[in-house]
Amino acid sequence: MFEKNKLSSPIAEFNGVSFRYGHGSEILKDIQLTLDPGSFHFMTGESGAGKTSLLGLFYMNHLPTRGRVRLFGKAVDTLSRAEKAQIRRQIGVVFQDYRLLNHLNAFDNVALPLRIAGVKETEIKRHVSELLAWVGLEKQLKAFPPELSGGEKQRIAIARAVINRPQLLVADEPTGNVDDAMAKRLLYLFLELNKLGTTIVIATHNQNLIKHFRFDQLHLSHGRLERINPNIRNNGQ
Ligand SMILES: Nc1ncnc2c1ncn2[C@@H]1O[C@H](COP(=O)(O)OP(=O)(O)OP(=O)(O)O)[C@@H](O)[C@H]1O
Ligand SMILES: [Mg+2]
């Protein structure tokens, strides 16, 4: 379904990164993090731990209050508008609240990134239809977001984020509104993308997925980030 990526330098590097909203208290504290190309991570932590805030730094929704973020080797605080736009095109985002365009139907929401990239309509039709069928929405191509369930909207948001095979996929609770069987199916879609080179970070509370797929975890607690490798956990699980 996708073609292979080729990148070797780190996708993201966080150096002493802290973040607060306005004059509020510090939500992320002194984060050190390197995401290697082709890596796959779950991001965990209780509600309010800062997962969405940390993910926002990966797609330049906001800048760190202290420290430095590099994306694709470039310090984000030094980028021109054109460079920012160029980097954003390489990042797919699944927002916790979907952010679909309500005046576009499911097909057109998913087709949008390809249309912006100037892909031919015949190619778009084939690719979008195939992907929407994969996520079980072949009958909803013409439906508009307000007519769809939460789980259906979530799957459209996922399809839109992966359709142009980004170098980095950042997904915020992408399976929060679907049942476990569909959650696994969506994870296999991310896995297919990952095998072709996309680096993936998924914030999730779903312990079944975490246990089943056993990817490295970026765990947030009290503003600090801890990396957990599930394969070297020494507690008999
Ligand atoms: N726009 C904002 N302005 C001010 N404070 C915010 C804003 N967004 C989030 N916060 C605060 O930042 C903290 C971290 O929120 P965040 O949304 O990053 O947590 P989360 O780990 O994603 O939680 P959840 O699992 O519920 O989605 C919370 O205390 C929240 O109240
Ligand atoms: Mg969140």
Side-chain angles (χ1 to χ4, degrees), residues 21 27 45-54 96 172-173 205 220:
Y21 289 98
I27 287 162
E46 56 189 41
S47 184
K51 301 181 296 299
T52 297
S53 307
L54 179 53
Q96 195 164 7
D172 201 350
E173 302 274 359
H205 289 286
L220 275 172

Side-chain angles (χ1 to χ4, degrees), residues 23-42:
H23 298 291
S25 56
E26 217 163 55
I27 287 162
L28 303 171
K29 295 176 184 155
D30 200 20
I31 308 265
Q32 293 292 130
L33 170 68
T34 303
L35 281 191
D36 291 326
S39 58
F40 197 133
H41 295 276
F42 284 128

Side-chain angles (χ1 to χ4, degrees), residues 100 106 137 140 143-150 152-153 156:
L100 298 174
L137 293 176
Q140 278 95 344
F144 289 85
E147 305 158 2
L148 294 166
S149 74
E152 289 167 343
K153 283 189 274 213
I156 294 168

Side-chain angles (χ1 to χ4, degrees), residues 22 41 45 74 83 119 149 155 167 171 209 218 231:
H41 295 276
K74 295 196 169 148
E83 285 172 317
V119 175
S149 74
R155 284 177 276 159
Q167 299 285 0
L209 288 185
L218 304 171
N231 300 312

Side-chain angles (χ1 to χ4, degrees), residues 41-53 55 96 154 171-178 180 183 187 190 201-213 217-221 233:
H41 295 276
F42 284 128
M43 186 180 289
T44 55
E46 56 189 41
S47 184
K51 301 181 296 299
T52 297
S53 307
L55 292 181
Q96 195 164 7
Q154 190 154 45
D172 201 350
E173 302 274 359
T175 63
N177 260 312
V178 297
D180 253 23
L187 257 289
F190 295 142
V201 184
I202 297 179
T204 185
H205 289 286
N206 187 327
Q207 286 299 324
N208 290 339
L209 288 185
I210 292 168
K211 285 193 183 123
H212 185 83
F213 288 94
Q217 266 179 61
L218 304 171
H219 183 74
L220 275 172
S221 173
R233 228 183 260 164

